[in-house]
Amino acid sequence: MTSFRVGDATRADQELYTRARMVEVSCGTCGALVGVKKNSDQHTSIQWGEGGVEACEEFAALAARPGGRAVHAPCPRLAASIAAAVDAGRVEIGATDGY
């Protein structure tokens, strides 16, 4: 396996692109903690915290079905919690900084 050196500038770029403007939101049902960023009304980036997917009751129920859970399927309960955070002004909409 090839190994690449990652410089400080690359690490800074990775941090900026993956975590800039992320706001922590907790699901109102299961308590799963995620990082959320909304670049527009239609675009929501979600970074799941450690153990978050496992804590999600909706994902557990879907995974128990025949065929399992579609990986791209969102949790409607978490989506409602994120919408509430947006409505409360905790999560801003818009990439004013370009990220």
Side-chain angles (χ1 to χ4, degrees):
M1 179 156 93
T2 304
S3 168
F4 297 96
R5 291 185 183 195
V6 177
D8 291 339
T10 301
R11 282 190 201 91
D13 284 344
Q14 287 174 334
E15 182 73 20
L16 181 64
Y17 295 137
T18 59
R19 293 188 181 90
R21 295 188 310 107
M22 284 283 181
V23 176
E24 285 190 341
V25 175
S26 178
C27 177
T29 302
C30 69
L33 189 63
V34 298
V36 175
K37 172 171 53 174
K38 286 195 65 66
N39 289 338
S40 69
D41 287 329
Q42 297 79 26
H43 179 269
T44 304
S45 291
I46 300 172
Q47 294 289 326
W48 286 82
E50 188 174 324
V53 172
E54 292 81 10
C56 179
E57 297 170 4
E58 183 76 16
F59 283 176
L62 292 172
R65 290 178 164 176
R69 175 180 78 86
V71 176
H72 66 277
C75 173
R77 297 172 186 181
L78 178 62
S81 297
I82 292 170
V86 170
D87 291 344
R90 291 187 42 240
V91 176
E92 294 183 23
I93 299 174
T96 57
D97 58 1
Y99 303 100

